[in-house]
PDB file of all heavy atoms in Angstrom:
ATOM      1  N   MET A1148       0.846  -1.204   0.000  1.00  0.00           N
ATOM      2  CA  MET A1148       0.000   0.000   0.000  1.00  0.00           C
ATOM      3  C   MET A1148       0.878   1.249   0.000  1.00  0.00           C
ATOM      4  O   MET A1148       1.870   1.291   0.718  1.00  0.00           O
ATOM      5  CB  MET A1148      -0.844   0.021   1.281  1.00  0.00           C
ATOM      6  CG  MET A1148      -1.986  -0.961   1.262  1.00  0.00           C
ATOM      7  SD  MET A1148      -3.362  -0.341   0.273  1.00  0.00           S
ATOM      8  CE  MET A1148      -3.578  -1.674  -0.858  1.00  0.00           C
ATOM      9  N   PRO A1149       0.518   2.245  -0.742  1.00  0.00           N
ATOM     10  CA  PRO A1149       1.303   3.480  -0.701  1.00  0.00           C
ATOM     11  C   PRO A1149       0.960   4.236   0.575  1.00  0.00           C
ATOM     12  O   PRO A1149      -0.127   4.088   1.104  1.00  0.00           O
ATOM     13  CB  PRO A1149       0.769   4.254  -1.909  1.00  0.00           C
ATOM     14  CG  PRO A1149      -0.612   3.752  -2.101  1.00  0.00           C
ATOM     15  CD  PRO A1149      -0.654   2.340  -1.577  1.00  0.00           C
ATOM     16  N   ILE A1157       1.411  11.421  -6.080  1.00  0.00           N
ATOM     17  CA  ILE A1157       0.994  10.979  -7.414  1.00  0.00           C
ATOM     18  C   ILE A1157      -0.193  11.820  -7.873  1.00  0.00           C
ATOM     19  O   ILE A1157      -0.262  12.281  -9.003  1.00  0.00           O
ATOM     20  CB  ILE A1157       0.626   9.478  -7.392  1.00  0.00           C
ATOM     21  CG1 ILE A1157       1.852   8.658  -7.040  1.00  0.00           C
ATOM     22  CG2 ILE A1157       0.087   9.039  -8.748  1.00  0.00           C
ATOM     23  CD1 ILE A1157       1.589   7.204  -6.813  1.00  0.00           C
ATOM     24  N   ASP A1158      -1.101  12.081  -6.939  1.00  0.00           N
ATOM     25  CA  ASP A1158      -2.275  12.880  -7.238  1.00  0.00           C
ATOM     26  C   ASP A1158      -1.863  14.261  -7.744  1.00  0.00           C
ATOM     27  O   ASP A1158      -2.414  14.779  -8.713  1.00  0.00           O
ATOM     28  CB  ASP A1158      -3.113  13.014  -5.959  1.00  0.00           C
ATOM     29  CG  ASP A1158      -4.566  13.337  -6.271  1.00  0.00           C
ATOM     30  OD1 ASP A1158      -4.938  13.195  -7.441  1.00  0.00           O
ATOM     31  OD2 ASP A1158      -5.294  13.719  -5.357  1.00  0.00           O
ATOM     32  N   GLN A1172      -4.533  24.201 -24.044  1.00  0.00           N
ATOM     33  CA  GLN A1172      -5.736  24.347 -24.863  1.00  0.00           C
ATOM     34  C   GLN A1172      -6.370  25.720 -24.711  1.00  0.00           C
ATOM     35  O   GLN A1172      -7.373  26.006 -25.353  1.00  0.00           O
ATOM     36  CB  GLN A1172      -6.760  23.285 -24.470  1.00  0.00           C
ATOM     37  CG  GLN A1172      -6.336  21.890 -24.892  1.00  0.00           C
ATOM     38  CD  GLN A1172      -7.235  20.847 -24.291  1.00  0.00           C
ATOM     39  OE1 GLN A1172      -7.967  21.098 -23.338  1.00  0.00           O
ATOM     40  NE2 GLN A1172      -7.196  19.650 -24.840  1.00  0.00           N
ATOM     41  N   GLY A1173      -5.799  26.535 -23.826  1.00  0.00           N
ATOM     42  CA  GLY A1173      -6.329  27.886 -23.672  1.00  0.00           C
ATOM     43  C   GLY A1173      -7.465  27.969 -22.676  1.00  0.00           C
ATOM     44  O   GLY A1173      -8.393  28.750 -22.847  1.00  0.00           O
ATOM     45  N   ALA A1175      -9.026  29.296 -19.665  1.00  0.00           N
ATOM     46  CA  ALA A1175      -8.803  30.458 -18.791  1.00  0.00           C
ATOM     47  C   ALA A1175      -9.062  30.112 -17.330  1.00  0.00           C
ATOM     48  O   ALA A1175      -8.473  30.709 -16.441  1.00  0.00           O
ATOM     49  CB  ALA A1175      -9.713  31.600 -19.222  1.00  0.00           C
ATOM     50  N   GLN A1200       7.257  46.115  -3.266  1.00  0.00           N
ATOM     51  CA  GLN A1200       6.033  45.388  -3.587  1.00  0.00           C
ATOM     52  C   GLN A1200       5.531  45.638  -5.020  1.00  0.00           C
ATOM     53  O   GLN A1200       5.250  44.691  -5.753  1.00  0.00           O
ATOM     54  CB  GLN A1200       4.933  45.747  -2.583  1.00  0.00           C
ATOM     55  CG  GLN A1200       3.654  44.967  -2.875  1.00  0.00           C
ATOM     56  CD  GLN A1200       2.681  44.992  -1.716  1.00  0.00           C
ATOM     57  OE1 GLN A1200       3.052  45.321  -0.600  1.00  0.00           O
ATOM     58  NE2 GLN A1200       1.447  44.624  -1.986  1.00  0.00           N
ATOM     59  N   GLN A1208       3.180  39.470 -12.524  1.00  0.00           N
ATOM     60  CA  GLN A1208       2.095  39.569 -13.510  1.00  0.00           C
ATOM     61  C   GLN A1208       2.625  39.362 -14.935  1.00  0.00           C
ATOM     62  O   GLN A1208       1.999  38.676 -15.746  1.00  0.00           O
ATOM     63  CB  GLN A1208       1.384  40.916 -13.386  1.00  0.00           C
ATOM     64  CG  GLN A1208       0.503  40.981 -12.143  1.00  0.00           C
ATOM     65  CD  GLN A1208       0.001  42.380 -11.841  1.00  0.00           C
ATOM     66  OE1 GLN A1208      -0.107  43.209 -12.737  1.00  0.00           O
ATOM     67  NE2 GLN A1208      -0.296  42.644 -10.585  1.00  0.00           N
ATOM     68  N   ASP A1216       0.864  33.642 -23.032  1.00  0.00           N
ATOM     69  CA  ASP A1216       1.182  33.858 -24.446  1.00  0.00           C
ATOM     70  C   ASP A1216       1.978  32.689 -25.043  1.00  0.00           C
ATOM     71  O   ASP A1216       1.819  32.356 -26.206  1.00  0.00           O
ATOM     72  CB  ASP A1216       1.985  35.163 -24.606  1.00  0.00           C
ATOM     73  CG  ASP A1216       1.116  36.376 -24.271  1.00  0.00           C
ATOM     74  OD1 ASP A1216      -0.122  36.242 -24.336  1.00  0.00           O
ATOM     75  OD2 ASP A1216       1.672  37.431 -23.944  1.00  0.00           O
ATOM     76  N   PHE A1259      23.473  36.073  -0.971  1.00  0.00           N
ATOM     77  CA  PHE A1259      23.387  34.622  -1.150  1.00  0.00           C
ATOM     78  C   PHE A1259      22.899  34.264  -2.549  1.00  0.00           C
ATOM     79  O   PHE A1259      23.481  33.468  -3.256  1.00  0.00           O
ATOM     80  CB  PHE A1259      22.433  34.018  -0.126  1.00  0.00           C
ATOM     81  CG  PHE A1259      22.116  32.585  -0.445  1.00  0.00           C
ATOM     82  CD1 PHE A1259      23.030  31.589  -0.160  1.00  0.00           C
ATOM     83  CD2 PHE A1259      20.946  32.248  -1.105  1.00  0.00           C
ATOM     84  CE1 PHE A1259      22.770  30.290  -0.494  1.00  0.00           C
ATOM     85  CE2 PHE A1259      20.681  30.940  -1.445  1.00  0.00           C
ATOM     86  CZ  PHE A1259      21.596  29.957  -1.123  1.00  0.00           C
ATOM     87  N   ASP A1266      18.076  26.239  -6.287  1.00  0.00           N
ATOM     88  CA  ASP A1266      17.438  25.097  -6.936  1.00  0.00           C
ATOM     89  C   ASP A1266      15.921  25.268  -6.755  1.00  0.00           C
ATOM     90  O   ASP A1266      15.374  24.961  -5.712  1.00  0.00           O
ATOM     91  CB  ASP A1266      17.976  23.838  -6.238  1.00  0.00           C
ATOM     92  CG  ASP A1266      17.153  22.609  -6.549  1.00  0.00           C
ATOM     93  OD1 ASP A1266      16.367  22.648  -7.512  1.00  0.00           O
ATOM     94  OD2 ASP A1266      17.308  21.621  -5.827  1.00  0.00           O
ATOM     95  N   TYR A1270      12.779  24.425  -3.735  1.00  0.00           N
ATOM     96  CA  TYR A1270      12.491  25.602  -2.925  1.00  0.00           C
ATOM     97  C   TYR A1270      11.061  25.493  -2.395  1.00  0.00           C
ATOM     98  O   TYR A1270      10.144  25.143  -3.128  1.00  0.00           O
ATOM     99  CB  TYR A1270      12.641  26.862  -3.783  1.00  0.00           C
ATOM    100  CG  TYR A1270      12.751  28.131  -2.968  1.00  0.00           C
ATOM    101  CD1 TYR A1270      13.982  28.542  -2.467  1.00  0.00           C
ATOM    102  CD2 TYR A1270      11.639  28.916  -2.712  1.00  0.00           C
ATOM    103  CE1 TYR A1270      14.094  29.703  -1.729  1.00  0.00           C
ATOM    104  CE2 TYR A1270      11.743  30.086  -1.973  1.00  0.00           C
ATOM    105  CZ  TYR A1270      12.974  30.473  -1.481  1.00  0.00           C
ATOM    106  OH  TYR A1270      13.080  31.618  -0.755  1.00  0.00           O
ATOM    107  N   VAL A1271      10.881  25.746  -1.098  1.00  0.00           N
ATOM    108  CA  VAL A1271       9.542  25.612  -0.506  1.00  0.00           C
ATOM    109  C   VAL A1271       8.882  26.982  -0.437  1.00  0.00           C
ATOM    110  O   VAL A1271       9.475  27.947   0.033  1.00  0.00           O
ATOM    111  CB  VAL A1271       9.620  24.986   0.897  1.00  0.00           C
ATOM    112  CG1 VAL A1271       8.219  24.772   1.451  1.00  0.00           C
ATOM    113  CG2 VAL A1271      10.359  23.667   0.847  1.00  0.00           C
ATOM    114  N   ARG A1299      14.012  39.004  12.196  1.00  0.00           N
ATOM    115  CA  ARG A1299      13.269  38.585  11.011  1.00  0.00           C
ATOM    116  C   ARG A1299      11.861  39.180  10.955  1.00  0.00           C
ATOM    117  O   ARG A1299      11.402  39.569   9.900  1.00  0.00           O
ATOM    118  CB  ARG A1299      13.187  37.053  10.914  1.00  0.00           C
ATOM    119  CG  ARG A1299      14.498  36.321  10.829  1.00  0.00           C
ATOM    120  CD  ARG A1299      15.470  36.949   9.853  1.00  0.00           C
ATOM    121  NE  ARG A1299      15.083  36.803   8.448  1.00  0.00           N
ATOM    122  CZ  ARG A1299      15.469  37.614   7.486  1.00  0.00           C
ATOM    123  NH1 ARG A1299      16.226  38.669   7.763  1.00  0.00           N
ATOM    124  NH2 ARG A1299      15.100  37.419   6.245  1.00  0.00           N
ATOM    125  N   PHE A1300      11.167  39.177  12.078  1.00  0.00           N
ATOM    126  CA  PHE A1300       9.794  39.693  12.061  1.00  0.00           C
ATOM    127  C   PHE A1300       9.746  41.175  12.415  1.00  0.00           C
ATOM    128  O   PHE A1300       8.963  41.930  11.876  1.00  0.00           O
ATOM    129  CB  PHE A1300       8.882  38.905  13.022  1.00  0.00           C
ATOM    130  CG  PHE A1300       8.817  37.433  12.724  1.00  0.00           C
ATOM    131  CD1 PHE A1300       8.525  36.503  13.717  1.00  0.00           C
ATOM    132  CD2 PHE A1300       9.057  36.953  11.436  1.00  0.00           C
ATOM    133  CE1 PHE A1300       8.472  35.149  13.447  1.00  0.00           C
ATOM    134  CE2 PHE A1300       9.000  35.596  11.153  1.00  0.00           C
ATOM    135  CZ  PHE A1300       8.720  34.699  12.166  1.00  0.00           C
ATOM    136  N   ARG A1331      16.378  24.650  10.916  1.00  0.00           N
ATOM    137  CA  ARG A1331      16.577  23.752   9.784  1.00  0.00           C
ATOM    138  C   ARG A1331      16.546  22.294  10.248  1.00  0.00           C
ATOM    139  O   ARG A1331      16.009  21.419   9.584  1.00  0.00           O
ATOM    140  CB  ARG A1331      17.908  24.037   9.102  1.00  0.00           C
ATOM    141  CG  ARG A1331      18.064  23.191   7.853  1.00  0.00           C
ATOM    142  CD  ARG A1331      19.491  22.985   7.457  1.00  0.00           C
ATOM    143  NE  ARG A1331      19.603  21.815   6.623  1.00  0.00           N
ATOM    144  CZ  ARG A1331      20.212  20.707   6.994  1.00  0.00           C
ATOM    145  NH1 ARG A1331      20.761  20.605   8.187  1.00  0.00           N
ATOM    146  NH2 ARG A1331      20.273  19.685   6.174  1.00  0.00           N
TER     147      ARG A1331
ATOM    148  N   GLN B1416      20.784  25.930   0.922  1.00  0.00           N
ATOM    149  CA  GLN B1416      19.527  26.393   0.336  1.00  0.00           C
ATOM    150  C   GLN B1416      18.387  26.352   1.344  1.00  0.00           C
ATOM    151  O   GLN B1416      17.551  27.247   1.390  1.00  0.00           O
ATOM    152  CB  GLN B1416      19.167  25.531  -0.881  1.00  0.00           C
ATOM    153  CG  GLN B1416      17.696  25.661  -1.230  1.00  0.00           C
ATOM    154  CD  GLN B1416      17.424  25.673  -2.708  1.00  0.00           C
ATOM    155  OE1 GLN B1416      18.320  25.789  -3.526  1.00  0.00           O
ATOM    156  NE2 GLN B1416      16.163  25.578  -3.069  1.00  0.00           N
ATOM    157  N   GLN B1417      18.369  25.292   2.166  1.00  0.00           N
ATOM    158  CA  GLN B1417      17.289  25.179   3.152  1.00  0.00           C
ATOM    159  C   GLN B1417      17.375  26.305   4.171  1.00  0.00           C
ATOM    160  O   GLN B1417      16.367  26.883   4.564  1.00  0.00           O
ATOM    161  CB  GLN B1417      17.339  23.812   3.831  1.00  0.00           C
ATOM    162  CG  GLN B1417      16.940  22.702   2.870  1.00  0.00           C
ATOM    163  CD  GLN B1417      17.226  21.318   3.402  1.00  0.00           C
ATOM    164  OE1 GLN B1417      17.595  21.156   4.552  1.00  0.00           O
ATOM    165  NE2 GLN B1417      17.066  20.316   2.569  1.00  0.00           N
ATOM    166  N   GLN B1419      18.634  29.200   3.631  1.00  0.00           N
ATOM    167  CA  GLN B1419      18.205  30.403   2.927  1.00  0.00           C
ATOM    168  C   GLN B1419      16.684  30.467   2.807  1.00  0.00           C
ATOM    169  O   GLN B1419      16.068  31.502   3.005  1.00  0.00           O
ATOM    170  CB  GLN B1419      18.839  30.410   1.532  1.00  0.00           C
ATOM    171  CG  GLN B1419      18.490  31.630   0.719  1.00  0.00           C
ATOM    172  CD  GLN B1419      19.004  32.898   1.378  1.00  0.00           C
ATOM    173  OE1 GLN B1419      20.105  32.919   1.901  1.00  0.00           O
ATOM    174  NE2 GLN B1419      18.187  33.934   1.385  1.00  0.00           N
ATOM    175  N   ASN B1420      16.112  29.305   2.509  1.00  0.00           N
ATOM    176  CA  ASN B1420      14.663  29.195   2.331  1.00  0.00           C
ATOM    177  C   ASN B1420      13.937  29.611   3.619  1.00  0.00           C
ATOM    178  O   ASN B1420      12.991  30.389   3.605  1.00  0.00           O
ATOM    179  CB  ASN B1420      14.344  27.726   1.979  1.00  0.00           C
ATOM    180  CG  ASN B1420      13.029  27.562   1.221  1.00  0.00           C
ATOM    181  OD1 ASN B1420      12.832  26.561   0.573  1.00  0.00           O
ATOM    182  ND2 ASN B1420      12.131  28.519   1.304  1.00  0.00           N
ATOM    183  N   TRP B1422      15.226  31.420   6.035  1.00  0.00           N
ATOM    184  CA  TRP B1422      15.545  32.832   6.241  1.00  0.00           C
ATOM    185  C   TRP B1422      14.581  33.724   5.433  1.00  0.00           C
ATOM    186  O   TRP B1422      14.019  34.682   5.957  1.00  0.00           O
ATOM    187  CB  TRP B1422      16.986  33.058   5.815  1.00  0.00           C
ATOM    188  CG  TRP B1422      17.548  34.393   6.181  1.00  0.00           C
ATOM    189  CD1 TRP B1422      17.750  35.453   5.344  1.00  0.00           C
ATOM    190  CD2 TRP B1422      17.995  34.820   7.464  1.00  0.00           C
ATOM    191  NE1 TRP B1422      18.285  36.498   6.022  1.00  0.00           N
ATOM    192  CE2 TRP B1422      18.453  36.145   7.341  1.00  0.00           C
ATOM    193  CE3 TRP B1422      18.059  34.206   8.732  1.00  0.00           C
ATOM    194  CZ2 TRP B1422      18.955  36.869   8.401  1.00  0.00           C
ATOM    195  CZ3 TRP B1422      18.563  34.930   9.785  1.00  0.00           C
ATOM    196  CH2 TRP B1422      19.006  36.243   9.623  1.00  0.00           C
ATOM    197  N   ASP B1423      14.372  33.385   4.181  1.00  0.00           N
ATOM    198  CA  ASP B1423      13.482  34.167   3.306  1.00  0.00           C
ATOM    199  C   ASP B1423      12.059  34.189   3.855  1.00  0.00           C
ATOM    200  O   ASP B1423      11.425  35.228   3.930  1.00  0.00           O
ATOM    201  CB  ASP B1423      13.409  33.532   1.902  1.00  0.00           C
ATOM    202  CG  ASP B1423      14.683  33.767   1.116  1.00  0.00           C
ATOM    203  OD1 ASP B1423      15.542  34.536   1.590  1.00  0.00           O
ATOM    204  OD2 ASP B1423      14.817  33.161   0.027  1.00  0.00           O
ATOM    205  N   ALA B1425      10.946  33.442   6.858  1.00  0.00           N
ATOM    206  CA  ALA B1425      10.789  34.053   8.177  1.00  0.00           C
ATOM    207  C   ALA B1425      10.800  35.573   8.062  1.00  0.00           C
ATOM    208  O   ALA B1425      10.115  36.261   8.793  1.00  0.00           O
ATOM    209  CB  ALA B1425      11.902  33.586   9.108  1.00  0.00           C
ATOM    210  N   HIS B1433      -1.049  42.326   2.465  1.00  0.00           N
ATOM    211  CA  HIS B1433      -1.135  43.571   1.694  1.00  0.00           C
ATOM    212  C   HIS B1433      -1.078  43.338   0.185  1.00  0.00           C
ATOM    213  O   HIS B1433      -1.138  44.274  -0.593  1.00  0.00           O
ATOM    214  CB  HIS B1433      -0.006  44.534   2.098  1.00  0.00           C
ATOM    215  CG  HIS B1433      -0.152  45.016   3.504  1.00  0.00           C
ATOM    216  ND1 HIS B1433       0.845  45.648   4.187  1.00  0.00           N
ATOM    217  CD2 HIS B1433      -1.196  44.926   4.372  1.00  0.00           C
ATOM    218  CE1 HIS B1433       0.436  45.937   5.416  1.00  0.00           C
ATOM    219  NE2 HIS B1433      -0.798  45.500   5.554  1.00  0.00           N
ATOM    220  N   ARG B1442      -6.390  42.387 -13.539  1.00  0.00           N
ATOM    221  CA  ARG B1442      -5.496  43.066 -14.479  1.00  0.00           C
ATOM    222  C   ARG B1442      -4.952  42.084 -15.518  1.00  0.00           C
ATOM    223  O   ARG B1442      -4.935  42.363 -16.717  1.00  0.00           O
ATOM    224  CB  ARG B1442      -4.329  43.659 -13.689  1.00  0.00           C
ATOM    225  CG  ARG B1442      -4.020  45.080 -14.053  1.00  0.00           C
ATOM    226  CD  ARG B1442      -2.860  45.569 -13.246  1.00  0.00           C
ATOM    227  NE  ARG B1442      -1.713  45.839 -14.102  1.00  0.00           N
ATOM    228  CZ  ARG B1442      -0.512  46.141 -13.633  1.00  0.00           C
ATOM    229  NH1 ARG B1442      -0.293  46.200 -12.333  1.00  0.00           N
ATOM    230  NH2 ARG B1442       0.482  46.376 -14.461  1.00  0.00           N
ATOM    231  N   HIS B1446      -5.650  40.735 -20.118  1.00  0.00           N
ATOM    232  CA  HIS B1446      -4.695  40.427 -21.177  1.00  0.00           C
ATOM    233  C   HIS B1446      -4.993  39.062 -21.817  1.00  0.00           C
ATOM    234  O   HIS B1446      -4.651  38.804 -22.961  1.00  0.00           O
ATOM    235  CB  HIS B1446      -3.296  40.421 -20.544  1.00  0.00           C
ATOM    236  CG  HIS B1446      -2.227  39.865 -21.415  1.00  0.00           C
ATOM    237  ND1 HIS B1446      -1.524  40.643 -22.304  1.00  0.00           N
ATOM    238  CD2 HIS B1446      -1.742  38.608 -21.542  1.00  0.00           C
ATOM    239  CE1 HIS B1446      -0.656  39.875 -22.934  1.00  0.00           C
ATOM    240  NE2 HIS B1446      -0.764  38.652 -22.501  1.00  0.00           N
ATOM    241  N   THR B1450      -9.602  30.584 -25.056  1.00  0.00           N
ATOM    242  CA  THR B1450     -10.327  29.826 -26.059  1.00  0.00           C
ATOM    243  C   THR B1450     -11.339  28.907 -25.368  1.00  0.00           C
ATOM    244  O   THR B1450     -12.262  28.434 -25.984  1.00  0.00           O
ATOM    245  CB  THR B1450      -9.365  28.995 -26.914  1.00  0.00           C
ATOM    246  OG1 THR B1450      -8.395  28.420 -26.050  1.00  0.00           O
ATOM    247  CG2 THR B1450      -8.675  29.863 -27.925  1.00  0.00           C
ATOM    248  N   ILE B1451     -11.131  28.650 -24.089  1.00  0.00           N
ATOM    249  CA  ILE B1451     -12.115  27.887 -23.314  1.00  0.00           C
ATOM    250  C   ILE B1451     -12.390  28.687 -22.052  1.00  0.00           C
ATOM    251  O   ILE B1451     -11.466  29.143 -21.396  1.00  0.00           O
ATOM    252  CB  ILE B1451     -11.562  26.522 -22.854  1.00  0.00           C
ATOM    253  CG1 ILE B1451     -11.066  25.697 -24.043  1.00  0.00           C
ATOM    254  CG2 ILE B1451     -12.617  25.759 -22.088  1.00  0.00           C
ATOM    255  CD1 ILE B1451     -10.440  24.391 -23.615  1.00  0.00           C
ATOM    256  N   GLY B1505       0.266  -2.356  -5.833  1.00  0.00           N
ATOM    257  CA  GLY B1505       0.359  -1.953  -4.431  1.00  0.00           C
ATOM    258  C   GLY B1505       0.042  -0.492  -4.210  1.00  0.00           C
ATOM    259  O   GLY B1505       0.203   0.024  -3.124  1.00  0.00           O
ATOM    260  N   ILE B1508      -4.562   5.463  -7.109  1.00  0.00           N
ATOM    261  CA  ILE B1508      -4.565   6.914  -7.235  1.00  0.00           C
ATOM    262  C   ILE B1508      -5.970   7.406  -7.511  1.00  0.00           C
ATOM    263  O   ILE B1508      -6.824   6.659  -7.969  1.00  0.00           O
ATOM    264  CB  ILE B1508      -3.662   7.392  -8.394  1.00  0.00           C
ATOM    265  CG1 ILE B1508      -4.107   6.751  -9.694  1.00  0.00           C
ATOM    266  CG2 ILE B1508      -2.221   7.116  -8.117  1.00  0.00           C
ATOM    267  CD1 ILE B1508      -3.546   7.423 -10.895  1.00  0.00           C
ATOM    268  N   LYS B1509      -6.157   8.686  -7.226  1.00  0.00           N
ATOM    269  CA  LYS B1509      -7.406   9.326  -7.608  1.00  0.00           C
ATOM    270  C   LYS B1509      -7.087  10.331  -8.703  1.00  0.00           C
ATOM    271  O   LYS B1509      -6.073  11.024  -8.616  1.00  0.00           O
ATOM    272  CB  LYS B1509      -8.007  10.052  -6.411  1.00  0.00           C
ATOM    273  CG  LYS B1509      -9.316  10.723  -6.766  1.00  0.00           C
ATOM    274  CD  LYS B1509      -9.841  11.606  -5.664  1.00  0.00           C
ATOM    275  CE  LYS B1509     -11.119  12.262  -6.165  1.00  0.00           C
ATOM    276  NZ  LYS B1509     -11.637  13.262  -5.240  1.00  0.00           N
ATOM    277  N   MET B1510      -7.890  10.385  -9.727  1.00  0.00           N
ATOM    278  CA  MET B1510      -7.638  11.355 -10.789  1.00  0.00           C
ATOM    279  C   MET B1510      -8.939  12.033 -11.197  1.00  0.00           C
ATOM    280  O   MET B1510     -10.021  11.541 -10.938  1.00  0.00           O
ATOM    281  CB  MET B1510      -7.003  10.661 -11.987  1.00  0.00           C
ATOM    282  CG  MET B1510      -7.862   9.544 -12.535  1.00  0.00           C
ATOM    283  SD  MET B1510      -7.033   8.676 -13.850  1.00  0.00           S
ATOM    284  CE  MET B1510      -7.049   9.931 -15.100  1.00  0.00           C
ATOM    285  N   PHE B1657      -0.565  -6.834  -4.345  1.00  0.00           N
ATOM    286  CA  PHE B1657       0.870  -6.593  -4.209  1.00  0.00           C
ATOM    287  C   PHE B1657       1.702  -7.261  -5.307  1.00  0.00           C
ATOM    288  O   PHE B1657       2.924  -7.294  -5.221  1.00  0.00           O
ATOM    289  CB  PHE B1657       1.346  -7.063  -2.834  1.00  0.00           C
ATOM    290  CG  PHE B1657       0.699  -6.289  -1.709  1.00  0.00           C
ATOM    291  CD1 PHE B1657      -0.353  -6.821  -0.990  1.00  0.00           C
ATOM    292  CD2 PHE B1657       1.127  -5.010  -1.407  1.00  0.00           C
ATOM    293  CE1 PHE B1657      -0.945  -6.098   0.028  1.00  0.00           C
ATOM    294  CE2 PHE B1657       0.535  -4.283  -0.381  1.00  0.00           C
ATOM    295  CZ  PHE B1657      -0.506  -4.833   0.330  1.00  0.00           C
TER     296      PHE B1657
END
Side-chain angles (χ1 to χ4, degrees):
Chain A
M1148 285 282 125
I1157 297 172
D1158 202 14
Q1172 290 170 343
Q1200 182 164 344
Q1208 287 169 25
D1216 293 338
F1259 169 77
D1266 165 16
Y1270 196 85
V1271 184
R1299 300 315 290 155
F1300 302 154
R1331 185 204 158 248
Chain B
Q1416 161 142 349
Q1417 290 169 8
Q1419 181 62 41
N1420 204 160
W1422 190 256
D1423 286 352
H1433 294 166
R1442 227 181 114 188
H1446 169 88
T1450 42
I1451 304 176
I1508 57 164
K1509 180 188 178 187
M1510 58 184 291
F1657 297 101

